[in-house]
Amino acid sequence: IMRGFYNSVVYTLLGTVISVTLTLFAGYPLARKDLKIRGVVMFLFTVTMFFSGGMIPTYLVVKDFGLLDSFWVMVLPFSVITYYIIVARTFFNNSIPGDLWEAAQIDGCGNLNFFFRIVLPLSKAVIAVIALWTAVGQWNSYFNALIYLRSPELQPLQLVLRNILISNQTISAMATGAAAVEAKQMADLIKYAIIVVSSAPIMCMYPFVQKYFISGITIGAVKG
């Protein structure tokens, strides 16, 4: 359990940083009106929300890239989510006025300086929201590990706890008489302990980003 907990923490932290970085780098250019091909690029992004290659082609792609049963398979292949890009683009459209960019140009500010020194400090709300969504999804993810990981030392906490639950249910089903009652009680105790272990980190993190989350969920909403 401790090894799985460590793996989940590392996957969540690194995966969140990578996902938020790529999302911001994709969302900001798509919000710029001077990007002439942004409509085509956004269309290509949006298509992936409705159509995907499926499990087998995705597995073959991961295998061809040499990511199968490796640390990076948990943080790289699924780090970009189109919905998060749309949220970031909407935030930049609504919250970063074009006049700000024109004023920065007059002062000699380039695109990269404008993004890192002006846009990012003004985007704490959307960064916190996307980071929270990504972290929760990464922490709760077990299916990717089930498909792409074989080494026990690389398995995240959710997959370790899933294996424990399955093993415990099997033992309870095989027991009879008084042993069955005791096994059922033990299974319930383990189940409740697993819920606490797997939920505590996210519950501890949420209060620190709650104010950003509340303001961020209204991104793109109709304002009166």
Side-chain angles (χ1 to χ4, degrees), residues 12 15-16 19-20 79 81 84 129-139:
T12 300
T16 300
S19 181
V20 171
S79 57
I81 299 177
Y84 297 169
V129 171
I130 295 175
L132 179 62
W133 287 346
T134 305
V136 171
Q138 186 73 45
W139 180 264

Side-chain angles (χ1 to χ4, degrees), residues 54-174:
M55 183 185 301
I56 294 177
T58 304
Y59 182 90
L60 294 177
V61 170
V62 171
K63 181 180 179 181
D64 290 341
F65 274 97
L67 296 175
L68 204 62
D69 196 27
S70 68
F71 169 85
W72 295 104
V73 76
M74 294 298 295
V75 296
L76 285 181
F78 311 98
S79 57
V80 177
I81 299 177
T82 304
Y83 175 71
Y84 297 169
I85 294 177
I86 295 175
V87 170
R89 185 200 64 171
T90 303
F91 177 86
F92 292 137
N93 273 330
N94 296 339
S95 303
I96 309 297
D99 295 340
L100 197 60
W101 164 239
E102 294 176 0
Q105 279 184 306
I106 295 175
D107 293 335
C109 185
N111 285 300
L112 288 179
N113 281 334
F114 179 73
F115 178 73
F116 286 106
R117 301 179 64 178
I118 298 178
V119 174
L120 289 185
L122 296 176
S123 306
K124 294 180 181 179
V126 73
I127 293 174
V129 171
I130 295 175
L132 179 62
W133 287 346
T134 305
V136 171
Q138 186 73 45
W139 180 264
N140 292 330
S141 175
Y142 77 93
F143 187 74
N144 291 337
L146 185 64
I147 299 297
Y148 302 110
L149 292 181
R150 294 293 178 267
S151 303
E153 61 271 14
L154 294 176
Q155 293 181 353
L157 177 65
Q158 305 301 332
L159 188 57
V160 173
L161 299 182
R162 175 184 177 274
N163 295 335
I164 292 175
L165 284 176
I166 293 176
S167 300
N168 199 46
Q169 290 174 356
T170 303
I171 295 174
S172 300
M174 295 174 60

